[in-house]
Amino acid sequence: LQPVLGQLVYPAHLEMLAAEFVLRHACEQTVGGRPNNVGPSVLRASGGVHQLDVVAVETSARGPRVCAVGEVKSGRQVVGGAQLERLDAVITALGWRAGAKTRRLLVAEAGFTADLRREARRRGDVELIDLDRLYHGE
């Protein structure tokens, strides 16, 4: 039973918690707007099909805008720069649907590498969300 929980149930639960955090608890600065639709998505764009754990869409009079995309990682693997590079590539592929202001959200059970933390501070468009932040808020 434990391997099933670790491989199937817990990752899906963590993704659901991340979406709930983005929709109801994260501040506007964290998410890059006030999304009214958040969840996993499969997006078709130049470069192929992109599966994302969190896509936050803000709809206004100007139409829908992707304000944040995110990746959720459960398990003991510390998240590093490869996940950020993937999100950057997806945002580039989305073209007009996302832009320079689109936030990158990385949620990780095991935390983040020191290099990724430095890069997030340097860039300013990356939010690193560990379990403490996910469960206790901003």
Side-chain angles (χ1 to χ4, degrees), residues 42-51 89-90 93-94 97:
V42 176
L43 304 169
R44 291 182 186 350
S46 63
V49 177
H50 308 280
Q51 182 174 347
V90 169
L94 290 174
R97 290 181 273 182

Side-chain angles (χ1 to χ4, degrees), residues 32-47:
R34 295 180 187 256
N36 50 6
N37 191 1
V38 177
S41 187
V42 176
L43 304 169
R44 291 182 186 350
S46 63

